[in-house]
Amino acid sequence: MVKELMKKFVEVFGEGGTILPFFAPGRVNLIGEHTDYNGGHVFPCALTIGTYGVIRKREDRKIRFYSMNFDKYGIMESSLDGLAYKKEDNWTNYPKGVIWAFKEHGYEITQGFDFACVGTIPNSSGLSSSASLEVLMSKMLIDVYGFTDVDMIKASLYSQYAENKFIGVNCGIMDQFAIAMGKKDCAIYLDTATLTYEYAPVQLKDEKIVIMNTNKKRGLGDSKYNERRQECETALEEIQRIKNIQTLGELTEEEFEQVKGAIQDPVRMKRAKHAVYENQRTVKAVEALKQNNLKLFGELMNASHISLRDDYEVTGKELDTLVESAWKQEGVIGARMTGAGFGGCAVSIVKADQVARFIENVGKEYEEKIGYQADFYVVEIGSGPVQLAE
Ligand code: GLA
């Protein structure tokens, strides 16, 4: 993949100079959905699929981008002067946003670059192709421009800053953190209120992680993501009138039941309930995994989906069809939607010897009910971003 990309780079931008290759993973969240902007816990892991990128510094202030996934756009050119979000700049707004975010934090680059990339994460599938691109750019800036005092946690925060302030999507920290801090064969148990984290080994001996892609495209910008976030914020303000808390993530289920009457609207009450219960489920799920109780972990995954379906209402018929079909199959430990929802992917843990049949059965039922095919990926948990050997 890297060789091919290097070749393409030379073809597109010409020979010469030092061309440096990098990789940043995608991520899948095992449990803890829509909790990261509510001060709760998440439990994602980095994947071995992700974004490959190569970069070469320029003498002037031009920044030129090329993606093998968006070949049709050819070379897209911007400048370090007047960095701003422009709709027509399409995918290059992500790396541009990161350069801008670094600058906002005092790390300004004065020399431009040529950049080419290719992603092995399906775009808009909810496996964080955009966060992968952002963290890739961050890693390149750190290594190529010598911003060595920016550690990977800061890099994840700057990447999120780019997404929030440059792209305009109010995402939490989960995706960028999971990608920047990924560790092979481990999921990351992150408390989003404090950014304290712990690596939890995911030792699946007889099971596989199977990702199911609805192939229903979604973009966070045009989804109801920001609306959900707003609903939770309003619910929090209502609770704060009677209880001194900073985030919904501070509440146990019992405490929520005591104060929920303060929420004036039944829909908002459901949203807040999900945020609180999902956070508690995540805490329990990590505990279950530590005790090798995969069965309980799977049950909590299933309960997470039900809550996202009924209380948070971010699943939709494509994700529900995949997940509900998955639950019926033999050898399934657990299945749930993953990421923002409204399309994108679901994640399941399946007995290795049942995977082929699982994919066949779920795939068939999905196509019958939805009218087009789903895709399935048996994935491995990978590490964070790296500079690759030239
Ligand atoms: C998207 C956002 C994350 C998180 C999830 C939902 O992936 O980027 O910050 O909120 O949705 O859990």
Side-chain angles (χ1 to χ4, degrees):
M1 189 61 85
V2 191
K3 279 214 176 92
E4 212 181 303
L5 180 63
M6 285 283 217
K7 210 172 127 221
K8 195 75 191 174
F9 181 93
V10 171
E11 208 178 292
V12 173
F13 294 116
E15 295 204 21
T18 313
I19 307 168
L20 296 171
F22 288 81
F23 172 77
R27 71 95 187 89
V28 68
N29 187 22
L30 297 178
I31 194 161
E33 217 65 82
H34 289 279
T35 48
D36 66 345
Y37 50 85
N38 285 309
H41 293 79
V42 291
F43 196 50
C45 48
L47 298 171
T48 51
I49 50 174
T51 318
Y52 293 86
V54 293
I55 187 166
R56 178 177 64 198
K57 270 190 186 172
R58 299 175 56 92
E59 296 299 322
D60 57 17
R61 291 178 63 79
K62 278 184 192 161
I63 41 177
R64 299 197 299 170
F65 299 96
Y66 172 84
S67 165
M68 287 174 74
N69 300 80
F70 295 106
D71 193 48
K72 60 180 179 195
Y73 297 128
I75 296 178
M76 298 183 77
E77 187 176 315
S78 292
S79 163
L80 293 175
D81 301 308
L83 282 172
Y85 178 89
K86 288 194 196 113
K87 196 165 185 290
E88 65 272 22
D89 285 351
N90 204 280
W91 68 272
T92 69
N93 280 306
Y94 292 104
K96 273 175 40 179
V98 171
I99 300 168
W100 173 84
F102 268 65
K103 186 176 165 193
E104 290 288 296
H105 289 88
Y107 299 95
E108 185 175 1
I109 64 167
T110 52
Q111 246 181 299
F113 57 75
D114 290 335
F115 166 102
C117 66
V118 61
T120 52
I121 315 166
N123 293 321
S124 308
S125 62
L127 302 178
S128 287
S129 55
S130 45
S132 175
L133 184 55
E134 288 159 1
V135 175
L136 175 78
M137 188 75 246
S138 297
K139 175 73 177 157
M140 285 175 161
L141 293 181
I142 292 168
D143 285 13
V144 177
Y145 291 87
F147 299 140
T148 45
D149 55 332
V150 177
D151 61 22
M152 288 321 287
I153 294 187
K154 271 196 199 163
S156 72
L157 288 165
Y158 297 172
S159 299
Q160 182 202 17
Y161 191 84
E163 183 95 34
N164 291 166
K165 309 275 189 231
F166 194 86
I167 306 289
V169 175
N170 250 333
C171 69
I173 188 62
M174 172 170 75
D175 303 345
Q176 290 80 5
F177 196 97
I179 289 168
M181 299 298 288
K183 187 171 170 183
K184 191 172 162 35
D185 295 330
C186 287
I188 308 173
Y189 182 41
L190 171 68
D191 180 348
T192 61
T194 56
L195 289 193
T196 46
Y197 67 98
E198 190 185 311
Y199 289 112
V202 180
Q203 287 155 332
L204 299 177
K205 277 189 244 92
D206 304 320
E207 300 83 13
K208 294 279 177 200
I209 299 175
V210 183
I211 291 178
M212 311 179 269
N213 188 351
T214 60
N215 283 323
K216 183 188 179 196
K217 299 284 180 221
R218 47 151 282 270
L220 283 187
D222 51 45
S223 74
K224 292 190 170 291
Y225 185 89
N226 286 350
E227 184 185 299
R228 289 292 177 281
R229 193 172 173 149
Q230 186 55 53
E231 287 167 336
C232 286
E233 274 160 25
T234 308
L236 173 65
E237 280 162 25
E238 289 169 309
I239 295 174
Q240 281 169 332
R241 290 187 200 129
I242 59 164
K243 191 172 171 73
N244 183 15
I245 53 164
Q246 303 301 313
T247 68
L248 292 175
E250 287 169 39
L251 298 174
T252 61
E253 294 101 329
E254 296 74 30
E255 284 166 340
F256 176 74
E257 293 305 325
Q258 280 160 16
V259 297
K260 69 178 185 190
I263 304 172
Q264 299 293 309
D265 171 78
V267 172
R268 250 187 340 259
M269 197 185 288
K270 290 204 293 183
R271 308 294 192 243
K273 179 179 177 206
H274 167 79
V276 171
Y277 279 64
E278 177 74 356
N279 179 41
Q280 296 301 327
R281 259 193 296 276
T282 308
V283 176
K284 287 177 196 143
V286 175
E287 199 44 50
L289 193 68
K290 281 185 187 162
Q291 287 168 7
N292 271 322
N293 190 346
L294 203 56
K295 184 169 172 285
L296 178 57
F297 189 88
E299 285 164 10
L300 290 161
M301 284 176 80
N302 298 348
S304 164
H305 185 86
I306 292 169
S307 175
L308 288 155
R309 183 190 67 192
D310 299 344
D311 286 336
Y312 220 61
E313 297 181 278
V314 291
T315 57
K317 81 170 184 302
E318 294 83 2
L319 281 166
D320 288 338
T321 301
L322 279 180
V323 170
E324 285 161 22
S325 173
W327 289 341
K328 292 187 293 197
Q329 308 304 321
E330 237 171 87
V332 174
I333 310 293
R336 57 182 288 280
M337 60 149 269
T338 186
F342 315 102
C345 285
V347 59
S348 52
I349 301 179
V350 184
K351 287 273 178 213
D353 56 2
Q354 298 286 344
V355 167
R357 191 161 359 148
F358 171 86
I359 292 176
E360 193 189 322
N361 291 351
V362 178
K364 194 159 161 260
E365 186 171 344
Y366 186 78
E367 197 175 349
E368 270 163 23
K369 291 201 171 142
I370 304 296
Y372 55 86
Q373 285 181 345
D375 283 322
F376 296 85
Y377 325 106
V378 181
V379 295
E380 306 290 332
I381 302 180
S383 313
V386 278
Q387 184 174 343
L388 303 165
E390 283 163 61

